[in-house]
Amino acid sequence: MMEAAQSAGRLRRIGLGTGLAGVVAAVLLLSVAMAVSVGAVSVPLATVWGVALERVLPGAGAGEWSAGQAAIVWDIRFPRVVLAGLVGAGLGLVGAALQAVTRNPLADPHLLGISSGGAFGAIAALLHTGMFLGLLTVPLMAFGGALVATLLVLGVARVAQATSADRLVLAGVAVSFVIMAGANILIFLGDPRATHTVVFWMLGGLGLAQWDHLIWPLAVLLPCGLWLWAQAGRLNALALGDETAASLGIEVGRFRLAVFVMAALVTGVMVAFSGLIGFVGLMMPHLVRLVVGGDNLRVLPASALAGAVFLIWADAAARVALAPEDLPIGVVTGLCGGLFFLWLMARRA
């Protein structure tokens, strides 16, 4: 009787999980199609699906559209929307992991200075070192900057004996300000002709997305995301405290450092291709926990999917807000993040 009840419970959970995954996949696909269709030039949804089907399976697409519409859909908007999904998924995933490993609901790659470190490395590559490693130069430099910023935050926290989660965030904010001051110096000393491009990049933008570039954020997000998801049990143990986690056989210091390195790698690469985009990693895990609970086995993938959907729609809003001009996507996420902070403070009060 008990085994039958347990089997029924497992089947019910599997069914619920499968149904939820189907709903999320449908929402993601619909979001991609609608985001591709909107912009300075509106494209019907039927045309979006037809062009995509024709490019993936030549001869399968049915419908009539101009060469200009096909170029807008496939060459300009689709890679941009896919990049938005990858960046949003990466930032949402990293935010959930950082909040778990620091036991701080305010932890976020932007607030902890990781994004600023990535920006510093990317700006150094764009304005000073040159593309000495080709297309890999900016992502690698961004990862190096993000990793250095992470180590600085951990070092400052240790020297200042900032053992509490709140003080760790304060250390991250302080390091972020210092690093951004250094980044501004690099911009001031750089080529004035490239300054406008770098400043726009710092505000966040996906307008330079290309199909050939998408392999790099995808190649980083997949293995890092799977590794973090595999550590969900350890992250749950850390939520009970370092002593409890250590009693379960977890080397807390080494594991926390490994999570921070993974966060720096994902954040650095995402920053390299999208610029500075804040608050996605802060908002998505909070909203997800209201729906799926606190188990990181569900929170991590749900945060990644929610981040992808959110940033896809944020990019769509940035494209239509001041059409035909592109509003920097960091402005949209910053506005949403500020309002979310106010809501979070009111909720806690």
Side-chain angles (χ1 to χ4, degrees):
M1 182 74 71
M2 184 175 295
E3 291 181 358
Q6 291 176 346
S7 298
R10 281 196 296 268
L11 290 174
R12 187 164 55 250
R13 287 194 295 271
I14 292 173
L16 289 173
T18 303
L20 182 60
V23 171
V24 170
V27 170
L28 185 59
L29 284 175
L30 185 60
S31 297
V32 169
M34 294 185 68
V36 171
S37 70
V38 300
V41 177
S42 181
V43 179
L45 279 175
T47 301
V48 171
W49 289 116
V51 170
L53 191 60
E54 177 67 26
R55 292 303 180 97
V56 175
L57 299 172
E64 295 183 358
W65 50 77
S66 66
Q69 285 180 316
I72 290 173
V73 169
W74 189 254
D75 297 328
I76 298 176
R77 291 188 186 168
F78 247 113
R80 178 171 180 156
V81 171
V82 172
L83 180 59
L86 291 174
V87 173
L91 295 178
L93 178 72
V94 167
L98 290 176
Q99 290 175 17
V101 81
T102 61
R103 299 192 303 276
N104 188 336
L106 297 179
D108 166 81
H110 196 69
L111 292 177
L112 286 176
I114 301 176
S115 295
S116 300
F120 183 92
I123 291 169
L126 292 171
L127 292 181
H128 295 280
T129 66
M131 309 297 280
F132 59 93
L133 293 176
L135 184 62
L136 288 176
T137 305
V138 176
L140 287 176
M141 292 282 285
F143 166 61
L147 184 60
V148 170
T150 300
L151 296 177
L152 281 174
V153 171
L154 295 176
V156 170
R158 176 170 293 184
V159 170
Q161 297 181 348
T163 56
S164 68
D166 292 338
R167 292 195 173 190
L168 181 62
V169 171
L170 290 177
V173 172
V175 170
S176 177
F177 276 118
V178 173
I179 292 176
M180 287 310 298
N184 290 332
I185 292 175
L186 290 182
I187 293 173
F188 179 76
L189 297 177
D191 185 352
R193 293 171 295 179
T195 299
H196 175 73
T197 301
V198 172
V199 170
F200 186 86
W201 174 86
M202 288 181 66
L203 296 175
L206 305 170
L208 300 179
Q210 301 177 30
W211 284 114
D212 294 342
H213 297 173
L214 299 181
I215 185 62
W216 302 113
L218 180 63
V220 169
L221 179 60
L222 279 180
C224 293
L226 290 174
W227 185 86
L228 288 171
W229 193 28
Q231 309 304 317
R234 293 187 175 190
L235 292 173
N236 289 338
L238 274 179
L240 303 175
D242 289 0
E243 296 80 7
T244 302
S247 68
L248 295 174
I250 299 174
E251 296 185 23
V252 175
R254 182 175 297 179
F255 176 65
R256 183 173 282 127
L257 180 60
V259 173
F260 270 104
V261 170
M262 286 293 176
L265 176 58
V266 175
T267 304
V269 173
M270 299 307 164
V271 164
F273 286 95
S274 67
L276 284 176
I277 298 177
F279 298 107
V280 178
L282 173 68
M283 294 186 288
M284 295 306 108
H286 276 283
L287 298 176
V288 160
R289 290 190 193 99
L290 296 176
V291 179
V292 304
D295 186 357
N296 285 292
L297 193 64
R298 296 189 298 267
V299 170
L300 290 172
S303 296
L305 290 171
V309 172
F310 169 75
L311 206 60
I312 286 172
W313 282 108
D315 180 56
R319 278 187 278 125
V320 301
L322 298 177
E325 297 292 333
D326 269 0
L327 183 69
I329 193 173
V331 175
V332 178
T333 59
L335 176 61
C336 294
L339 295 175
F340 180 81
F341 251 122
L342 295 176
W343 174 81
L344 192 62
M345 291 173 60
R347 187 169 179 267
R348 284 193 167 192

mmCIF file of all heavy atoms in Angstrom, residues 173-200:
data_model
loop_
_atom_site.group_PDB
_atom_site.id
_atom_site.type_symbol
_atom_site.label_atom_id
_atom_site.label_comp_id
_atom_site.label_asym_id
_atom_site.label_seq_id
_atom_site.Cartn_x
_atom_site.Cartn_y
_atom_site.Cartn_z
ATOM 1 N N VAL A 173 29.553 45.810 -3.443
ATOM 2 C CA VAL A 173 29.190 47.140 -3.939
ATOM 3 C C VAL A 173 30.405 48.067 -3.920
ATOM 4 O O VAL A 173 30.647 48.816 -4.876
ATOM 5 C CB VAL A 173 28.034 47.722 -3.105
ATOM 6 C CG1 VAL A 173 27.788 49.178 -3.476
ATOM 7 C CG2 VAL A 173 26.756 46.913 -3.318
ATOM 8 N N ALA A 174 31.184 47.996 -2.838
ATOM 9 C CA ALA A 174 32.367 48.846 -2.742
ATOM 10 C C ALA A 174 33.377 48.511 -3.843
ATOM 11 O O ALA A 174 33.917 49.401 -4.514
ATOM 12 C CB ALA A 174 33.007 48.676 -1.362
ATOM 13 N N VAL A 175 33.648 47.218 -4.027
ATOM 14 C CA VAL A 175 34.582 46.801 -5.076
ATOM 15 C C VAL A 175 34.052 47.202 -6.450
ATOM 16 O O VAL A 175 34.814 47.615 -7.337
ATOM 17 C CB VAL A 175 34.823 45.282 -4.989
ATOM 18 C CG1 VAL A 175 35.584 44.784 -6.214
ATOM 19 C CG2 VAL A 175 35.584 44.930 -3.720
ATOM 20 N N SER A 176 32.740 47.108 -6.647
ATOM 21 C CA SER A 176 32.137 47.484 -7.923
ATOM 22 C C SER A 176 32.389 48.950 -8.242
ATOM 23 O O SER A 176 32.736 49.302 -9.383
ATOM 24 C CB SER A 176 30.633 47.195 -7.894
ATOM 25 O OG SER A 176 30.017 47.610 -9.096
ATOM 26 N N PHE A 177 32.234 49.817 -7.247
ATOM 27 C CA PHE A 177 32.487 51.245 -7.463
ATOM 28 C C PHE A 177 33.936 51.498 -7.848
ATOM 29 O O PHE A 177 34.235 52.288 -8.759
ATOM 30 C CB PHE A 177 32.130 52.046 -6.212
ATOM 31 C CG PHE A 177 30.674 52.389 -6.109
ATOM 32 C CD1 PHE A 177 29.909 51.931 -5.053
ATOM 33 C CD2 PHE A 177 30.042 53.170 -7.068
ATOM 34 C CE1 PHE A 177 28.560 52.237 -4.947
ATOM 35 C CE2 PHE A 177 28.695 53.476 -6.985
ATOM 36 C CZ PHE A 177 27.957 53.011 -5.923
ATOM 37 N N VAL A 178 34.868 50.809 -7.175
ATOM 38 C CA VAL A 178 36.288 50.999 -7.474
ATOM 39 C C VAL A 178 36.607 50.535 -8.891
ATOM 40 O O VAL A 178 37.312 51.210 -9.658
ATOM 41 C CB VAL A 178 37.147 50.238 -6.445
ATOM 42 C CG1 VAL A 178 38.620 50.291 -6.832
ATOM 43 C CG2 VAL A 178 36.969 50.845 -5.053
ATOM 44 N N ILE A 179 36.074 49.371 -9.262
ATOM 45 C CA ILE A 179 36.352 48.830 -10.591
ATOM 46 C C ILE A 179 35.746 49.716 -11.678
ATOM 47 O O ILE A 179 36.371 49.963 -12.725
ATOM 48 C CB ILE A 179 35.818 47.393 -10.705
ATOM 49 C CG1 ILE A 179 36.630 46.472 -9.789
ATOM 50 C CG2 ILE A 179 35.871 46.906 -12.146
ATOM 51 C CD1 ILE A 179 36.117 45.048 -9.756
ATOM 52 N N MET A 180 34.536 50.207 -11.453
ATOM 53 C CA MET A 180 33.919 51.073 -12.455
ATOM 54 C C MET A 180 34.674 52.386 -12.585
ATOM 55 O O MET A 180 34.722 52.971 -13.680
ATOM 56 C CB MET A 180 32.454 51.324 -12.109
ATOM 57 C CG MET A 180 31.548 50.128 -12.336
ATOM 58 S SD MET A 180 31.750 49.374 -13.973
ATOM 59 C CE MET A 180 31.276 50.734 -15.042
ATOM 60 N N ALA A 181 35.275 52.855 -11.496
ATOM 61 C CA ALA A 181 36.123 54.045 -11.598
ATOM 62 C C ALA A 181 37.319 53.753 -12.499
ATOM 63 O O ALA A 181 37.695 54.571 -13.359
ATOM 64 C CB ALA A 181 36.596 54.477 -10.210
ATOM 65 N N GLY A 182 37.904 52.563 -12.342
ATOM 66 C CA GLY A 182 39.008 52.175 -13.227
ATOM 67 C C GLY A 182 38.554 52.043 -14.666
ATOM 68 O O GLY A 182 39.276 52.424 -15.596
ATOM 69 N N ALA A 183 37.344 51.498 -14.879
ATOM 70 C CA ALA A 183 36.818 51.380 -16.235
ATOM 71 C C ALA A 183 36.611 52.752 -16.870
ATOM 72 O O ALA A 183 36.889 52.951 -18.066
ATOM 73 C CB ALA A 183 35.503 50.602 -16.211
ATOM 74 N N ASN A 184 36.134 53.702 -16.081
ATOM 75 C CA ASN A 184 35.958 55.061 -16.609
ATOM 76 C C ASN A 184 37.295 55.697 -16.988
ATOM 77 O O ASN A 184 37.387 56.457 -17.966
ATOM 78 C CB ASN A 184 35.232 55.925 -15.575
ATOM 79 C CG ASN A 184 33.785 55.524 -15.413
ATOM 80 O OD1 ASN A 184 33.162 55.014 -16.346
ATOM 81 N ND2 ASN A 184 33.237 55.728 -14.224
ATOM 82 N N ILE A 185 38.344 55.379 -16.229
ATOM 83 C CA ILE A 185 39.679 55.885 -16.585
ATOM 84 C C ILE A 185 40.135 55.294 -17.915
ATOM 85 O O ILE A 185 40.709 55.990 -18.769
ATOM 86 C CB ILE A 185 40.685 55.556 -15.462
ATOM 87 C CG1 ILE A 185 40.357 56.366 -14.200
ATOM 88 C CG2 ILE A 185 42.112 55.840 -15.911
ATOM 89 C CD1 ILE A 185 41.220 56.025 -13.007
ATOM 90 N N LEU A 186 39.869 53.991 -18.106
ATOM 91 C CA LEU A 186 40.231 53.363 -19.382
ATOM 92 C C LEU A 186 39.491 54.027 -20.545
ATOM 93 O O LEU A 186 40.067 54.224 -21.623
ATOM 94 C CB LEU A 186 39.894 51.874 -19.336
ATOM 95 C CG LEU A 186 40.743 50.982 -18.432
ATOM 96 C CD1 LEU A 186 40.290 49.528 -18.551
ATOM 97 C CD2 LEU A 186 42.221 51.099 -18.776
ATOM 98 N N ILE A 187 38.218 54.353 -20.329
ATOM 99 C CA ILE A 187 37.452 55.028 -21.386
ATOM 100 C C ILE A 187 38.025 56.409 -21.662
ATOM 101 O O ILE A 187 38.166 56.838 -22.812
ATOM 102 C CB ILE A 187 35.970 55.117 -20.981
ATOM 103 C CG1 ILE A 187 35.347 53.723 -20.926
ATOM 104 C CG2 ILE A 187 35.191 55.993 -21.963
ATOM 105 C CD1 ILE A 187 33.938 53.714 -20.385
ATOM 106 N N PHE A 188 38.390 57.141 -20.595
ATOM 107 C CA PHE A 188 38.928 58.496 -20.737
ATOM 108 C C PHE A 188 40.254 58.477 -21.489
ATOM 109 O O PHE A 188 40.540 59.377 -22.295
ATOM 110 C CB PHE A 188 39.120 59.111 -19.351
ATOM 111 C CG PHE A 188 39.684 60.499 -19.379
ATOM 112 C CD1 PHE A 188 38.890 61.583 -19.721
ATOM 113 C CD2 PHE A 188 41.022 60.724 -19.066
ATOM 114 C CE1 PHE A 188 39.418 62.865 -19.755
ATOM 115 C CE2 PHE A 188 41.559 61.996 -19.093
ATOM 116 C CZ PHE A 188 40.741 63.077 -19.441
ATOM 117 N N LEU A 189 41.068 57.448 -21.254
ATOM 118 C CA LEU A 189 42.386 57.371 -21.885
ATOM 119 C C LEU A 189 42.337 56.699 -23.255
ATOM 120 O O LEU A 189 43.339 56.697 -23.970
ATOM 121 C CB LEU A 189 43.356 56.595 -20.983
ATOM 122 C CG LEU A 189 43.656 57.223 -19.626
ATOM 123 C CD1 LEU A 189 44.560 56.310 -18.806
ATOM 124 C CD2 LEU A 189 44.308 58.598 -19.795
ATOM 125 N N GLY A 190 41.198 56.140 -23.624
ATOM 126 C CA GLY A 190 41.093 55.410 -24.877
ATOM 127 C C GLY A 190 40.858 56.314 -26.071
ATOM 128 O O GLY A 190 40.800 57.551 -25.966
ATOM 129 N N ASP A 191 40.689 55.696 -27.216
ATOM 130 C CA ASP A 191 40.474 56.404 -28.465
ATOM 131 C C ASP A 191 39.109 57.091 -28.418
ATOM 132 O O ASP A 191 38.082 56.433 -28.255
ATOM 133 C CB ASP A 191 40.512 55.410 -29.630
ATOM 134 C CG ASP A 191 40.427 56.095 -30.994
ATOM 135 O OD1 ASP A 191 40.184 57.316 -31.025
ATOM 136 O OD2 ASP A 191 40.602 55.404 -32.010
ATOM 137 N N PRO A 192 39.069 58.419 -28.558
ATOM 138 C CA PRO A 192 37.777 59.124 -28.489
ATOM 139 C C PRO A 192 36.780 58.651 -29.547
ATOM 140 O O PRO A 192 35.576 58.712 -29.336
ATOM 141 C CB PRO A 192 38.166 60.593 -28.711
ATOM 142 C CG PRO A 192 39.606 60.677 -28.338
ATOM 143 C CD PRO A 192 40.189 59.362 -28.709
ATOM 144 N N ARG A 193 37.266 58.161 -30.683
ATOM 145 C CA ARG A 193 36.356 57.713 -31.736
ATOM 146 C C ARG A 193 35.604 56.451 -31.345
ATOM 147 O O ARG A 193 34.530 56.185 -31.868
ATOM 148 C CB ARG A 193 37.150 57.466 -33.030
ATOM 149 C CG ARG A 193 37.737 58.740 -33.652
ATOM 150 C CD ARG A 193 38.674 58.406 -34.787
ATOM 151 N NE ARG A 193 39.854 57.683 -34.313
ATOM 152 C CZ ARG A 193 40.841 57.253 -35.085
ATOM 153 N NH1 ARG A 193 40.787 57.479 -36.391
ATOM 154 N NH2 ARG A 193 41.863 56.604 -34.574
ATOM 155 N N ALA A 194 36.169 55.666 -30.415
ATOM 156 C CA ALA A 194 35.510 54.429 -29.984
ATOM 157 C C ALA A 194 34.738 54.607 -28.684
ATOM 158 O O ALA A 194 34.066 53.683 -28.239
ATOM 159 C CB ALA A 194 36.550 53.319 -29.815
ATOM 160 N N THR A 195 34.845 55.787 -28.088
ATOM 161 C CA THR A 195 34.218 55.999 -26.778
ATOM 162 C C THR A 195 32.702 55.857 -26.841
ATOM 163 O O THR A 195 32.085 55.245 -25.956
ATOM 164 C CB THR A 195 34.600 57.387 -26.239
ATOM 165 O OG1 THR A 195 36.023 57.457 -26.093
ATOM 166 C CG2 THR A 195 33.949 57.625 -24.887
ATOM 167 N N HIS A 196 32.087 56.404 -27.874
ATOM 168 C CA HIS A 196 30.629 56.350 -27.975
ATOM 169 C C HIS A 196 30.137 54.899 -28.015
ATOM 170 O O HIS A 196 29.167 54.537 -27.346
ATOM 171 C CB HIS A 196 30.161 57.094 -29.225
ATOM 172 C CG HIS A 196 28.686 56.982 -29.470
ATOM 173 N ND1 HIS A 196 27.754 57.657 -28.705
ATOM 174 C CD2 HIS A 196 27.974 56.252 -30.377
ATOM 175 C CE1 HIS A 196 26.533 57.351 -29.137
ATOM 176 N NE2 HIS A 196 26.641 56.505 -30.152
ATOM 177 N N THR A 197 30.839 54.069 -28.791
ATOM 178 C CA THR A 197 30.458 52.663 -28.890
ATOM 179 C C THR A 197 30.582 51.971 -27.544
ATOM 180 O O THR A 197 29.702 51.195 -27.133
ATOM 181 C CB THR A 197 31.335 51.945 -29.925
ATOM 182 O OG1 THR A 197 31.188 52.593 -31.189
ATOM 183 C CG2 THR A 197 30.953 50.487 -30.055
ATOM 184 N N VAL A 198 31.649 52.241 -26.826
ATOM 185 C CA VAL A 198 31.874 51.587 -25.532
ATOM 186 C C VAL A 198 30.848 52.049 -24.509
ATOM 187 O O VAL A 198 30.326 51.248 -23.725
ATOM 188 C CB VAL A 198 33.310 51.859 -25.038
ATOM 189 C CG1 VAL A 198 33.489 51.345 -23.618
ATOM 190 C CG2 VAL A 198 34.309 51.203 -25.967
ATOM 191 N N VAL A 199 30.537 53.343 -24.501
ATOM 192 C CA VAL A 199 29.548 53.853 -23.553
ATOM 193 C C VAL A 199 28.185 53.225 -23.812
ATOM 194 O O VAL A 199 27.480 52.814 -22.885
ATOM 195 C CB VAL A 199 29.466 55.393 -23.626
ATOM 196 C CG1 VAL A 199 28.279 55.909 -22.833
ATOM 197 C CG2 VAL A 199 30.760 56.009 -23.099
ATOM 198 N N PHE A 200 27.802 53.112 -25.091
ATOM 199 C CA PHE A 200 26.532 52.481 -25.412
ATOM 200 C C PHE A 200 26.558 51.007 -24.996
ATOM 201 O O PHE A 200 25.565 50.477 -24.481
ATOM 202 C CB PHE A 200 26.252 52.591 -26.914
ATOM 203 C CG PHE A 200 24.884 52.088 -27.305
ATOM 204 C CD1 PHE A 200 23.787 52.933 -27.232
ATOM 205 C CD2 PHE A 200 24.685 50.783 -27.717
ATOM 206 C CE1 PHE A 200 22.520 52.482 -27.574
ATOM 207 C CE2 PHE A 200 23.435 50.326 -28.067
ATOM 208 C CZ PHE A 200 22.343 51.177 -27.999
#
